[in-house]
Amino acid sequence: MAEIQKSTYLDFTSGGTLTSTGQSVSDAYDVISSRIVTDPSLTVTVGIVLDRANDPTDLLNMDWGTRQATLARMEADGTLWSTYGTSASTFALVSNTLTGMGIPIVGEETGHVTSAAARTIWVEVDGAQFKALFGTDLRLGTSASAGEFYYWDGNLQVPDAISPYVTGVWPDLEAGPATETLNTSTVTLAEGAQSPGNATSARTDLFPQDIAALYNFPDLPADLDTGTLALIEPATGDYVTKIAEYGTFQQRLNAYRATAGVGGVGEYYVVNRDNQSSDGDDGERSLDVGVVSAVVPNSRIGLYVGSGNSTYSTYQTAIWDLTNNPSVISSSFSDLNLFTKGSPFETAYRELFIDAALRGISVFNDAYDGGSGNETGTGLTNLFVGSMSPYAMVVGGTSLSTGNAADNDATLADTVTAATAGDLQTIWQLVRGGLRQWSDSLSDNATFIETVWNEYYLENGTMKNNYLSNNTTSGGVDTTQVTPQYQTAYGLTPTDADPNGGVGRGAPDVAANAGGNLFYSVPDSNMVGVSESGGTSAATPLWASLATRLNAIFADQGLPDLGYSNDLYYIASAISPASFNDITVGNNTSTYINGNGFFAEKDGTYYALSATGIGYEAGEGYDLVSGLGTPNGVLLGRALTTIAHSQLYYDLAPVLETGTDGWESDATQSLIFQTTFGQDASWSLTLDGAQQSFAGSATGAYAWTAALAQQSLQSDFSTSLVTMFDGYAQGQAYQTTLAGGTDLAIAVAGQGASAYQSTLTGDFGFMDFMTGAGASVEVARAVATATTAGGADDMGVVVRLRQNGMNGASVMFYEVDDYAGSISGLAPGDAGYAAAAEARAYQTSAGGNALSGAGYGGYSEGMILNVDSGDLIAMQLTSNGNTFWAFAPANEEVNGQDVAHLWSYGLNTWGWEDLYGGGDRDFNDLIVQLDFTSAAGSGLLL
């Protein structure tokens, strides 16, 4: 027998919650009684996970387009699972060895997946067989904390004949961690709400599709098939009671749909129905079903029961359902154990989600509802690490307040007062958080503010909605694994808030409404009537439903399903920040130990606890309570489809390449250097060793950001919010033409600037160089590359315009030969260039070759025609009798310097300064966006 390291029972359940997993199970769980299992009728099921024929890491680290194309090719030619499953010979050897030992192998009939592709062999063993296979006794113990549970002492062993091939083990057992105090430092909590935005007296309940509308989910045709969505529902499935009184699950589902206003017949199926063992209290199942049936009513819903014993087996049956082939999986369940890093249990769980990625499935997991402590009383932060796979999108929770709810929430009183008084800083923050419609009355059900979901409330020494219950979004750092590639590329090094400060995988990735001031109207636990529910368990199927809608849009545009696409969401946030509403208010702090700081009630018993105060705060950009933020569904869909087409059909040249001495321009191109400084600062640009120095001025307090510019290009974005932030100057816009091969370096105040998120944004026309002090110099092209859908020619391209200048303005689009703006050898500013540009101008759908703004604050859109794949497109602005070009050398001079009139705002979005001589340099007089993909197919994103 060969010993498997780190395979004790405590390595299975309690990694990170005990000082050492080397102690005995009896001590860790305070076992009252224990016996060796000898009754042959008492059995446990264990999955033996085998090694892969080849490591798929390099494939999964490729960009999404390459990854999807490779997976599709391998699936088509039948090599995918012979390459990334276990080999047929290994599977046969291990199976034969087990059979020869008299070990019974099980599979589908028990709710498990045994196959070479899944690299798993499940065995159902009694005590004697467990001892023969794993070299240690199977024990049945009883403790006050865990009840009756199976366990073993010491490490597991396996026969030498199969040892070289066994990489993971998963016992199909319900488990939970043993805990001890790991931090004794406590804090005193203030009375009242522990986080703002969750305490309204006018709480709103909405049906899920109405909450989706608040997030601007893209509308779809009423008859459009949106595919299959899998729900992880261990032991529950479609179980309901009182069928004679209330009808079948199908009838109850249809009744809910009618009540919610979506109508029709809900199509669903159950896998492993025979393993349902519900007691009728199935609120989680009903919540999941209610959300997805209302948000994607044309989707077929899969209810996966698994073995009925663990979330793991349920995941595996959904991932390997080769009959129904769900494209999206949503799970609001977790295996509550905390396995040790490097254990065979960690390997088994991590590999499960790699299978999902290889199968082309998008997985959405809930972050859970226990705050930073995750209802685990160690005094430090905790996560259910099994759910934190880098190949799954982890979803956190927020509290979305409508105007009416905010007006009746004392914790938001200062925000409401400041906003209604016109305080620009407050309104600026609200807009970045998703405010699109401005009204002083605050009486409607539009989004006003969104905060972290945290309902903890301390009153007279007793915490209502307390640390022991599901009342706050979890989130933090999973230090059992390295930071995923897409997070490091985004510029993140997620660090644990614990005193030991470990680094790892940050969670959540995204968030959505979970409760607090807004709840979901869904079926009750028995699928009868409508009840109020929430949690990250609601936010997760909401996000899964959005992905399902996006898959339908992808299909309409000829794209494959999103599949494993975490990297796409991080790229979307970097190049199109308006795709996400930034949650900047609130916390999820809930770490605790036994003590005397306050009382908390659970299941009728009061516990004396003390807070240790360790947790996470929301802030600008990514944070460990809301991730990238909550979705603006239409803007996210436009960004994701653009990225997908770009990666599948184009080999884009980044703005700058890494050279031998830093950064290098590989092509002749005109680049804009845009400074964003908190205060006046000198900066320098070094080109081929020659340094130019500039006196940079501070950026205006409300100078437009990429997020605001992109947000303004929504037809329902309030005109008053546009004009409210007019006239605030950007920093410096310096434009010059670089020859191919030019080396480049940037410094601010003598401090070298690093290319922030360059691997994410460089292909899309810009790169940000930042210093440690936060000063930024963006390097951006003035020319767009026509990344048309499917690489097609002769396409119509959508143009969106938002005017924030008072003069009449129109813009002409024309084709150029290179990124420097040349036309047949003529450079911008040369004699004859204007005529050449006119001759190259695209015609518009309205006739002529220019599109006009809609007046001060107004929105308009149009289309330019006959755009071919890969065209390079430049612009010319006409305003107040003046003509301005996207290239400074073609414009007027001031103090001997050509004036740049263009500013880049991210994904094919620019802002113009419309005044001669540079004006007020706010670069928002006309915001222009080119959208190369949304008109594709049926135009579902228009």
Side-chain angles (χ1 to χ4, degrees), residues 726-921:
D726 187 22
Y728 292 93
Q730 297 287 0
Q732 189 170 15
Y734 169 72
Q735 191 169 11
T736 190
T737 299
L738 276 62
T742 302
D743 292 326
L744 177 149
I746 295 171
V748 179
Q751 182 181 2
S754 300
Y756 178 65
Q757 297 181 343
S758 59
T759 59
L760 305 184
T761 67
D763 285 350
F764 298 94
F766 68 98
M767 294 168 61
D768 285 315
F769 285 75
M770 296 188 69
T771 68
S776 170
V777 179
E778 184 170 291
V779 182
R781 288 179 177 142
V783 172
T785 303
T787 50
T788 58
D793 292 335
D794 197 25
M795 298 293 291
V797 172
V798 177
V799 180
R800 299 185 182 89
L801 305 170
R802 176 68 76 168
Q803 187 169 339
N804 202 24
M806 297 183 183
N807 298 318
S810 63
V811 63
M812 178 183 78
F813 302 88
Y814 62 99
E815 185 183 1
V816 296
D817 296 333
D818 54 36
Y819 289 120
S822 301
I823 302 175
S824 301
L826 294 173
D830 285 353
Y833 185 82
E838 182 90 16
R840 290 274 195 94
Y842 294 96
Q843 295 299 296
T844 74
S845 55
N849 63 4
L851 294 170
S852 297
Y856 190 48
Y859 173 82
S860 59
E861 63 181 61
M863 185 174 285
I864 57 175
L865 306 176
N866 305 121
V867 176
D868 290 336
S869 173
D871 279 2
L872 301 181
I873 302 174
M875 294 182 286
Q876 176 212 68
L877 178 74
T878 300
S879 176
N880 201 30
N882 295 309
T883 297
F884 305 114
W885 300 86
F887 309 100
N891 296 328
E892 74 278 18
E893 287 188 8
V894 173
N895 297 326
Q897 181 69 55
D898 298 328
V899 177
H901 278 265
L902 197 67
W903 190 275
S904 171
Y905 285 116
L907 182 60
N908 296 322
T909 306
W910 291 268
W912 285 95
E913 172 53 57
D914 70 351
L915 294 178
Y916 189 87
D920 57 8
R921 296 186 295 109

Side-chain angles (χ1 to χ4, degrees), residues 3-12 21-26 130 134-139 151-157 344-345:
E3 185 174 355
I4 303 175
Q5 297 301 310
K6 298 184 179 180
S7 64
T8 70
Y9 184 78
L10 296 181
D11 286 314
F12 175 52
T21 55
Q23 62 190 282
S24 73
V25 178
S26 293
F130 187 95
F134 294 115
T136 186
D137 289 318
L138 179 66
R139 305 189 70 90
Y151 71 95
W152 62 92
D153 288 322
N155 279 327
L156 299 174
Q157 303 174 59
F345 318 113

Side-chain angles (χ1 to χ4, degrees), residues 272 641 661 803 914:
N272 300 123
T641 52
D661 297 316
Q803 187 169 339
D914 70 351

Side-chain angles (χ1 to χ4, degrees), residues 127 148 191 198-199 234 243 265 346 352 358 391 449 487 521 601 660 733 860 894 909 930:
E148 190 173 67
E191 288 275 308
N198 292 262
I243 293 176
V265 175
E346 180 196 38
L352 191 65
L358 293 171
Y391 300 104
I449 188 173
Q487 289 190 331
S521 294
E601 182 270 337
T660 54
S860 59
V894 173
T909 306
L930 293 170

